[in-house]
Amino acid sequence: MTSMRARAVAAGVIWAIFSILIGVFGLASYLDGQTQARFDELLASRHTQAVIEVANYSDSPEFIAGGIGDPVYRQPFSGQYWQVESPGGQIFVSQSLVDALLPRPQHPTGRIQISNFVGPTGEQHRRIQEWITLDDGAIWHVQVASSLQSLIADRQQLRGNLVLAFGLIAVVGVMAGFLQASTVLRPINALRRDVLSRWDSGDELDITAYPIEVSPLVTDINTLLERNREIVSRSRRQAADLAHAVKTPSAIVRNELEKLQNAGQPVANSIEALDRLDAQLKRSFARMRADGGNAAMHTFTDLDGALGRLIRAFSALARNEEKTLKSDVDTGLRVRMDQSDFEEVIGNLMDNAMKWSNKEIGIGAHVEGDDVVIRICDDGPGIPEEDLGVATLSGQRLDTSKPGTGLGLAIAADLAHAYGGKISLHACPWLGGLQVQVRLKVSGI
């Protein structure tokens, strides 16, 4: 994961989920305990009432039921029961038990016992039982039971409410995490945009415009930008100086070879070798210029002007050779490429099309997604399908019937690649010859 925003949001979401889960389980456990305590408190209150009535009516136990006047004890199998056993073994029960009995007590103990059991209707119940000794020394057993269904229902409802509440909190937390990440990373995004814009302008970044945490980085970027500009400028000057230094002796050698050729000397192979040397040098200088210069910068070319001039120039050449150039170019197009490099690429490709065409060539330029796609077609012999993949490689001349070094396509492919573009070869679907497709990045993408 390389995105700072994604890391910040992911870390926030993971921490929020972890905290919410801990909170849900912790709060649910606490509330379950409180609900259980209230349930036991109510059950203990009912048990105390039954003990009081047993103490009051121990001489006339048949009146105990009347003393415990809670209506729930009169409803059959209401889930609320009491049962009393006298020292003589007589058992007195609430009307709600109908003809059932609660589990008989075990050995007498001197303390209150709380336990769960399966009631007469098959539901879980909770009971309090106690052996009590009255003032006359008589030992009675008193137990009160209550169904756990209401407690279970309350717990389920409580947990559902907790899940809903914490779910809403989680949604709000995730949204807050996105907002926080966007706010925190806003200076970084601004720095990225400023670096892109200031690379070409030559201005330094304003350190005071960024938070103090980013200031050391801004200082280093300013230093790096300045050093890169110096390196690029020095490289371009050296490439230009080297090109001029090579052109002069090359021209001298060419003149001498032409004189020898005019004098009847067999120097055709030497001239051809010199042509290939010049083409190779031209390709190398073009790659040096692209790799060390404008291709690394964010420069753009307006196709209305650059491509328009090329179309007008080649239209005139086509008329002189009794050929036709047709164009279909969208207006307002811009590509991420230096203008001189763009014109060299398209110029080479149109020159090849003009050279190999019979009567007609065509050029089109349109936007496709994030790219501007330029297609140059001709009605010439084309290139066999098995050779399309090697035609743009260095030194590949597939046909020697026409003059040239075979490096035009290679130079164009190198320059396009240096700007993140691509050149591909296909059979032209409407003219029948070769179609060269140049794909370059749209300005601002």
Side-chain angles (χ1 to χ4, degrees):
M1 185 182 297
T2 58
S3 170
M4 293 179 62
R5 183 193 302 274
R7 290 188 179 189
V9 171
V13 169
I14 292 173
W15 178 249
I17 292 175
F18 176 77
S19 301
I20 288 172
L21 289 176
I22 294 297
V24 167
F25 285 115
L27 187 56
S29 177
Y30 171 77
L31 293 178
D32 282 351
Q34 292 295 309
T35 305
Q36 181 73 64
R38 287 196 300 270
F39 184 89
D40 289 346
E41 183 179 351
L42 178 59
L43 188 60
S45 175
R46 294 179 182 275
H47 175 263
T48 300
Q49 182 185 10
V51 170
I52 292 174
E53 297 304 323
V54 168
N56 291 336
Y57 296 103
S58 61
D59 294 335
S60 304
E62 64 274 9
F63 294 108
I64 293 176
I68 304 176
D70 196 325
V72 295
Y73 292 128
R74 298 187 179 91
Q75 300 175 13
F77 300 115
S78 63
Q80 304 295 332
Y81 312 110
W82 59 263
Q83 180 173 299
V84 175
E85 185 173 347
S86 69
Q90 288 182 291
I91 296 178
F92 304 91
V93 299
S94 62
Q95 296 179 17
S96 55
L97 274 172
V98 190
D99 55 353
L101 293 175
L102 298 178
R104 299 293 301 277
Q106 301 298 322
H107 303 292
T109 61
R111 64 181 184 275
I112 296 178
Q113 295 179 326
I114 301 178
S115 60
N116 295 341
F117 70 98
V118 178
T121 58
E123 298 176 352
Q124 284 290 324
H125 286 67
R126 190 170 178 83
R127 69 174 175 176
I128 295 180
Q129 58 178 333
E130 181 183 13
W131 294 89
I132 62 173
T133 303
L134 301 181
D135 294 339
D136 59 1
I139 299 177
W140 292 70
H141 182 264
V142 180
Q143 60 176 321
V144 175
S146 181
S147 173
L148 290 173
Q149 288 302 110
S150 60
L151 176 63
I152 295 173
D154 290 343
R155 284 180 172 175
Q156 290 177 344
Q157 182 179 6
L158 179 62
R159 290 171 181 172
N161 292 338
L162 282 177
V163 170
L164 178 61
F166 277 95
L168 293 175
I169 293 175
V171 172
V172 173
V174 171
M175 294 176 62
F178 276 104
L179 180 60
Q180 182 181 15
S182 299
T183 303
V184 171
L185 295 177
R186 189 173 299 163
I188 302 297
N189 293 330
L191 177 60
R192 179 179 62 85
R193 292 192 298 270
D194 290 345
V195 168
L196 294 180
S197 62
R198 282 168 170 75
W199 176 261
D200 292 331
S201 64
D203 298 334
E204 288 190 349
L205 300 172
D206 184 7
I207 298 178
T208 61
Y210 304 95
I212 58 175
E213 293 83 1
V214 186
S215 296
L217 176 61
V218 176
T219 302
D220 291 342
I221 290 176
N222 280 333
T223 303
L224 180 62
L225 287 174
E226 183 60 30
R227 289 179 180 176
N228 283 345
R229 291 190 190 100
E230 292 177 359
I231 293 172
V232 167
S233 178
R234 190 183 309 117
S235 298
R236 290 177 66 84
R237 287 196 303 269
Q238 291 175 352
D241 292 342
L242 181 59
H244 286 296
V246 171
K247 284 181 180 178
T248 299
S250 175
I252 294 174
V253 171
R254 185 178 299 278
N255 288 334
E256 295 298 325
L257 289 174
E258 289 177 352
K259 289 179 181 179
L260 292 174
Q261 188 179 40
N262 293 334
Q265 297 295 325
V267 293
N269 291 337
S270 299
I271 293 176
E272 182 180 354
L274 183 61
D275 290 340
R276 293 183 60 80
L277 176 61
D278 286 343
Q280 288 283 8
L281 289 173
K282 182 179 180 182
R283 182 190 187 195
S284 298
F285 291 141
R287 294 177 67 178
M288 291 170 60
R289 185 175 69 250
D291 294 339
N294 290 333
M297 301 182 183
H298 298 274
T299 56
F300 307 102
T301 297
D302 289 313
L303 267 61
D304 289 346
L307 193 55
R309 284 191 297 273
L310 288 171
I311 291 175
R312 288 192 295 271
F314 278 94
S315 294
L317 290 175
R319 286 194 297 271
N320 293 337
E321 297 183 15
E322 296 182 351
K323 297 181 180 181
T324 302
L325 170 62
K326 295 182 179 180
S327 62
D328 178 18
V329 178
D330 291 345
T331 59
L333 300 181
R334 299 179 71 204
V335 295
R336 182 183 295 176
M337 194 174 194
D338 177 72
Q339 180 173 325
S340 62
D341 291 334
F342 174 81
E343 291 178 353
E344 181 168 356
V345 169
I346 303 303
N348 274 337
L349 299 179
M350 294 186 71
D351 183 63
N352 280 344
M354 184 71 67
K355 182 191 301 182
W356 291 98
S357 64
N358 293 320
K359 289 296 182 179
E360 185 176 350
I361 63 175
I363 181 170
H366 309 280
V367 175
E368 295 183 6
D370 294 340
D371 301 326
V372 169
V373 178
I374 302 171
R375 295 181 175 90
I376 300 173
C377 292
D378 63 67
D379 61 351
I383 297 178
E385 184 176 354
E386 61 272 14
D387 294 330
L388 290 176
V390 299
T392 57
L393 300 179
S394 176
Q396 298 295 323
R397 288 197 67 191
L398 303 179
D399 191 338
T400 59
S401 62
K402 293 184 182 294
T405 61
L407 291 173
L409 280 175
I411 293 173
D414 288 342
L415 283 173
H417 179 73
Y419 289 90
K422 181 180 179 182
I423 290 181
S424 56
L425 307 181
H426 313 273
C428 182
W430 61 87
L431 292 181
L434 178 66
Q435 174 181 277
V436 182
Q437 177 177 288
V438 184
R439 185 176 293 271
L440 298 172
K441 291 297 180 182
V442 175
S443 166
I445 299 300

